[in-house]
């Protein structure tokens, strides 16, 4: 762990960044909303959207591409050569949750329910007895999309009363098919009711809806927690916390034509189920965008190879803070603490992509920003998860480092972090993206 001060000595972000993160989390109940909100923030910083089917020019400035729940944004300094290397912050927009099935309307015993499928690896019990909304997007018959957000108590997954399961506190087992289907009313089940209702909420005609990608979300707002408000509780910190920090960091560099590199934000979808999608880290989106940027500036394959060889990516995702009630589950010599600064994630079996070279890059960025940092490694008896880091390194052949913010209750409907860590991460990302 570094000996840097507990507050950033340099950098544009302070506690106001955490306040803004709360706004971002509340406004982004789905990957599609996260992308729309990220794009809006970049537009305000002077970035402009470029279409994938359009010809790209080699002009300088901020640009971004969106595809579904993914967004790639980059800033080209004035006079950047075709072989200029990239500095990338990678993250993901999706979080584990419950997603609406193609035929959603069903029910039992007079209850009207919504058929859902489990997305990713959520802590299922965290979704019980919560007031849930519904969000996502509609695909309309003309090929356009409409964002949907019913952000009020609409659904609930009710738990069985203890009187009917006296052993529940000795071990609860939830069957994904039988026990996780939410209720949303009483009466006769009618096919098409849910989509008709949500379409009306979205201001579109139900007959114009050709497809949907809808998911539930907890409607309780993010909030500071603790006597001194030193903690932050909220939804989807894994991994919108990193998306928000990277967006703020990239936007702060707009107009900086003294940069020796091209800073990039790459926020992917579908990380929680393996990244195998056209909007996931295993897809070609990032590589295609970077290559087109090189070629648009007059580069050739040699320039592309030179640029990629000098590129570094920080894969920023949440990690595990030491849990006071389960400290024995952590590695005995690595106990990351909340408000202790971002973590460097290491796994020698390449579940994380960090090596010694990457450690040096990250340490230099934190030192430059005056930000403390910590190391994370899993207990040998408990294999860790993985991130987009190893995928990015292997697919594109670029140096990649896994980092993040330490949190509790990862994959819960509501997670917990230190209130200082979001802006400490953002300041470290600025220093990294500056090159």
């Amino acid at each position: 762990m570094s000996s840097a001060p507990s507050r950033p000595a340099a950098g544009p972000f302070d506690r106001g960044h955490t306040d803004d993160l709360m706004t971002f989390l509340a406004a982004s109940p789905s990957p599609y909303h996260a992308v729309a909100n990220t794009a809006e923030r970049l537009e305000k910083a002077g970035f402009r959207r470029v279409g994938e089917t359009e010809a790209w020019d080699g002009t300088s400035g901020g640009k971004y591409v969106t595809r579904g729940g993914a967004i790639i944004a980059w800033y080209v300094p004035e006079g950047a050569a075709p072989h200029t290397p990239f500095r990338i912050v990678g993250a993901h927009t999706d979080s584990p949750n419950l997603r609406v099935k193609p035929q959603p309307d069903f029910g039992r015993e007079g209850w009207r329910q919504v058929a859902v499928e489990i997305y990713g690896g959520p802590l299922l019990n965290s979704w019980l007895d919560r007031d849930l909304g519904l969000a996502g997007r509609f695909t309309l018959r003309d090929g356009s999309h409409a964002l949907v957000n019913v952000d009020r108590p609409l659904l609930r997954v009710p738990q069985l009363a203890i009187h009917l399961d006296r052993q529940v506190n000795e071990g609860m087992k939830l069957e994904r098919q039988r026990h996780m289907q939410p209720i949303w009313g009483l009466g006769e089940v009618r096919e098409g009711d849910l989509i008709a209702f949500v379409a009306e909420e979205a201001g579109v005609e139900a007959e114009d809806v050709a497809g949907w990608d809808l998911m539930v979300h907890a409607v309780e707002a993010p909030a500071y927690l603790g006597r001194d408000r030193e903690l932050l509780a909220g939804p989807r910190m894994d991994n919108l916390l990193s998306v928000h920090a990277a967006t703020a960091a990239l936007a702060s560099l707009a107009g900086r034509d003294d940069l020796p590199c091209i800073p990039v934000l790459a926020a992917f979808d579908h990380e929680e189920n393996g990244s195998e999608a056209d909007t996931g880290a295993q897809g070609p989106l990032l590589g295609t965008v970077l290559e087109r940027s090189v070629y648009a500036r007059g580069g050739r394959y040699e320039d592309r190879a030179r640029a990629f060889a000098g590129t570094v990516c920080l894969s920023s995702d949440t990690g595990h803070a030491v849990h006071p009630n389960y400290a024995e589950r952590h590695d005995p010599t690595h106990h990351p603490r909340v408000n202790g600064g971002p973590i460097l994630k290491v796994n020698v079996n390449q579940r994380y992509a960090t090596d010694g070279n990457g450690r040096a890059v990250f340490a230099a960025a934190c030192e430059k920003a005056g930000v403390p940092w910590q190391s994370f490694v899993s207990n040998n008896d408990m294999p860790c998860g993985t991130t987009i880091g190893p995928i990015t390194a292997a697919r594109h052949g670029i140096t990649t480092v896994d980092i993040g913010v330490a949190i509790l209750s990862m994959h819960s409907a509501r997670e917990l972090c230190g209130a200082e860590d979001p802006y400490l991460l953002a300041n470290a990302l600025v220093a990294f993206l500056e090159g």
Side-chain angles (χ1 to χ4, degrees):
M1 181 171 168
S2 79
S3 59
S6 62
R7 298 293 188 278
F13 303 116
D14 55 19
R15 186 63 174 259
H17 175 89
T18 305
D19 295 336
D20 189 62
L21 170 62
M22 296 167 70
T23 300
F24 185 78
L25 292 172
S28 305
S30 78
Y32 315 109
H33 290 82
V35 166
N37 291 322
T38 297
E40 181 180 4
R41 289 161 183 259
L42 291 172
E43 291 269 0
K44 289 179 179 179
F47 286 68
R48 62 182 177 88
R49 184 179 182 275
V50 293
E52 290 188 80
T53 60
E54 302 169 0
W56 292 7
D57 58 45
T59 56
S60 60
K63 306 173 186 181
Y64 70 91
V65 165
T66 63
R67 182 192 291 184
I71 181 169
I72 311 291
W74 64 103
Y75 181 81
V76 180
E78 185 72 35
H83 61 268
T84 301
F86 300 94
R87 282 283 177 116
I88 305 167
V89 177
H92 65 89
T93 61
D94 60 317
S95 302
N97 57 19
L98 313 177
R99 302 206 172 187
V100 176
K101 289 183 175 180
Q103 297 179 24
D105 298 290
F106 86 110
R108 298 189 186 97
E109 306 297 334
W111 294 96
R112 300 172 70 187
Q113 295 178 266
V114 175
V116 296
E117 190 172 5
I118 310 301
Y119 178 83
L123 284 170
L124 294 178
N125 64 296
S126 72
W127 292 90
L128 302 179
D129 296 332
R130 285 189 183 273
D131 296 336
L132 303 172
L134 196 62
R137 70 174 181 180
F138 282 143
T139 300
L140 306 181
R141 295 191 183 279
D142 63 2
S144 63
H145 296 99
L147 291 181
V148 173
N149 186 10
V150 184
D151 194 30
R152 66 175 187 273
L154 177 67
L155 307 166
R156 188 179 179 92
V157 183
Q159 188 172 188
L160 185 65
I162 192 171
H163 311 83
L164 303 177
D165 184 3
R166 293 291 184 177
Q167 304 303 311
V168 65
N169 289 327
E170 278 66 59
M172 178 174 60
K173 180 174 175 55
L174 293 169
E175 296 181 22
R176 292 171 170 240
Q177 182 60 42
R178 282 205 304 156
H179 299 153
M180 295 305 299
Q181 308 304 317
I183 60 174
W184 74 302
L186 301 171
E188 180 184 354
V189 175
R190 293 183 295 270
E191 184 178 352
D193 266 7
L194 180 72
I195 298 306
F197 166 77
V198 179
E200 183 177 5
E201 291 282 313
V204 302
E205 298 295 328
E207 55 266 27
D208 291 335
V209 176
W212 55 84
D213 301 279
L214 301 176
M215 58 206 72
V216 305
H217 66 277
V219 298
E220 186 180 0
Y224 288 112
L225 185 146
R227 186 195 67 178
D228 299 318
R229 293 162 55 90
E230 71 267 48
L231 302 172
L232 175 64
R236 299 176 294 280
M237 292 185 188
D238 180 12
N239 187 30
L240 294 187
L241 189 159
S242 294
V243 174
H244 175 261
T247 301
L250 179 61
S252 74
L253 298 178
R256 285 283 303 278
D257 290 329
D258 60 331
L259 300 175
C261 59
I262 296 173
V264 180
L265 159 66
F268 300 101
D269 199 357
H270 297 299
E271 188 273 349
E272 297 293 357
N273 59 6
S275 296
E276 291 185 346
D278 69 320
T279 53
Q282 295 231 43
L285 183 59
L286 175 60
T288 299
V289 168
L290 299 183
E291 288 175 351
R292 291 185 68 177
S293 174
V294 170
Y295 299 148
R297 284 175 281 121
R300 300 175 298 173
Y301 183 81
E302 179 71 9
D303 298 297
R304 180 261 189 215
R306 292 175 66 188
F308 276 44
T311 292
V312 183
C313 174
L314 291 189
S315 167
S316 182
D317 204 344
T318 55
H320 302 295
V322 61
H323 196 301
N325 299 335
Y326 301 91
E328 73 282 357
R329 302 292 183 100
H330 300 264
D331 182 84
T333 60
H334 295 78
H335 281 187
R337 300 178 183 274
V338 299
N339 289 332
I343 56 175
L344 178 74
K345 301 158 79 171
V346 177
N347 179 264
V348 295
N349 293 305
Q350 289 297 290
R351 301 291 285 174
Y352 304 132
T354 305
D355 64 7
N357 289 329
R359 184 184 193 277
V361 171
F362 180 63
C366 289
E367 181 178 359
K368 178 181 178 182
V371 167
W373 61 277
Q374 312 173 77
S375 293
F376 171 84
V377 66
S378 288
N379 185 307
N380 287 333
D381 292 325
M382 296 185 179
C384 66
T386 190
T387 69
I388 66 166
I391 296 170
T392 304
R395 179 170 183 83
H396 306 293
I398 58 180
T399 299
T400 304
V401 190
D402 272 292
I403 67 159
V405 161
I407 69 171
L408 293 182
S409 305
M410 186 184 295
H411 286 197
S412 173
R414 195 168 175 84
E415 297 160 324
L416 184 72
C417 76
E420 296 178 10
D421 283 327
Y423 67 78
L424 293 174
L425 173 65
N427 281 298
L429 295 184
V430 172
F432 166 75
L433 290 174
E434 286 177 330

